[in-house]
Amino acid sequence: MAGSWRAKVQAGGMLLALLGWVSSCVTTVVPLWKSLSLELNELEVWTLGLWQVCVTHEEGAIECRAHGSFLALPPDLRVSRLLMCLSNGLGLLGALLATAGLEGWRSCQDRPVLKRRLLLTGAAAFGVAAVATLAPVSWVAYNTVLDFWDNTVPDIVPRWEFGEATFLGWFAGAFLTAGGLLLACSARSTRAATPPATARHQPPPTPQGAARGHHLHPKNADLVI
């Protein structure tokens, strides 16, 4: 009964973690970290991502251009690009390790301690991937809020707002965190309890007479002629 419960918790944890990892990968790629609508031309919407900037026209056409140089990016986007790539790699590593440590997986069935360590290591990788996703997304969102409410910038200057990737990144970090916690909580030693050693029944002591011959009793010594 307990084994079935652990298997369900591990399956749910893996599902959440994989969903978070896929969402994190999508967040890394899509150019939707920031959006900008020009008041002079509301038919164009600009979107900014870690790798490129795009503009959507009225007729639905999308034009994208890659960032010219990594060093030319703002500090938050440079760090975000590195951290998101790290998060994607850790998520993949965590998925491989945690899968090998699942209770229903056939690998290492005869080594329960190793399976538990693999599961815990995979859960830890998911946790670090969650931090590596939440940190850059929150940093970019924080800078966006500061720039939007900056009183030193004239009101006629267009300002960036949150893009869809910001919210997707927050959901990805939450899913990775929840999945890693479920996997860590379900990981416990599956080592079978060793049954207590059965009491060894020693054979009854062999009568000395049978082993060494019968000795005469002192009372009967007088009967011997």
Side-chain angles (χ1 to χ4, degrees), residues 17-193:
L18 290 176
L19 182 60
W21 174 61
V22 173
S23 301
S24 178
C25 293
V26 175
T27 304
T28 306
V29 176
V30 295
L32 298 173
W33 283 60
K34 294 182 180 182
S35 64
L36 175 65
S37 297
L38 300 177
E39 296 182 358
L40 298 178
N41 188 2
E42 297 180 356
L43 302 180
E44 289 185 354
V45 178
W46 292 75
T47 55
L48 177 67
L50 300 180
W51 310 94
Q52 56 187 355
V53 58
C54 298
V55 56
T56 304
H57 300 282
E58 178 186 7
E59 59 274 10
I62 301 177
E63 297 180 5
C64 296
R65 184 182 64 181
H67 296 304
S69 172
F70 175 77
L71 298 178
L73 292 174
D76 55 348
L77 293 184
R78 287 202 304 266
V79 177
S80 296
R81 184 186 289 189
L82 296 176
L83 289 179
M84 292 303 295
C85 292
L86 176 63
S87 174
N88 297 338
L90 288 175
L92 178 60
L93 178 62
L96 295 177
L97 294 176
T99 301
L102 292 178
E103 195 169 285
W105 200 257
R106 294 185 177 181
S107 63
C108 306
Q109 286 288 357
D110 55 339
R111 304 176 66 182
V113 176
L114 178 60
K115 286 183 70 68
R116 177 175 177 269
R117 291 178 179 175
L118 289 174
L119 190 60
L120 287 175
T121 305
F126 282 134
V128 178
V131 175
T133 297
L134 292 173
V137 172
S138 301
W139 188 14
V140 172
Y142 175 73
N143 288 340
T144 303
V145 172
L146 291 182
D147 295 339
F148 187 88
W149 297 107
D150 190 357
N151 295 326
T152 61
V153 179
D155 294 337
I156 61 174
V157 176
R159 310 187 184 204
W160 292 98
E161 299 181 12
F162 292 159
E164 290 82 354
T166 302
F167 302 99
L168 183 61
W170 281 328
F171 281 114
F175 289 149
L176 286 170
T177 302
L181 287 176
L182 286 177
L183 291 175
C185 293
S186 66
R188 69 179 186 87
S189 178
T190 56
R191 183 184 303 175

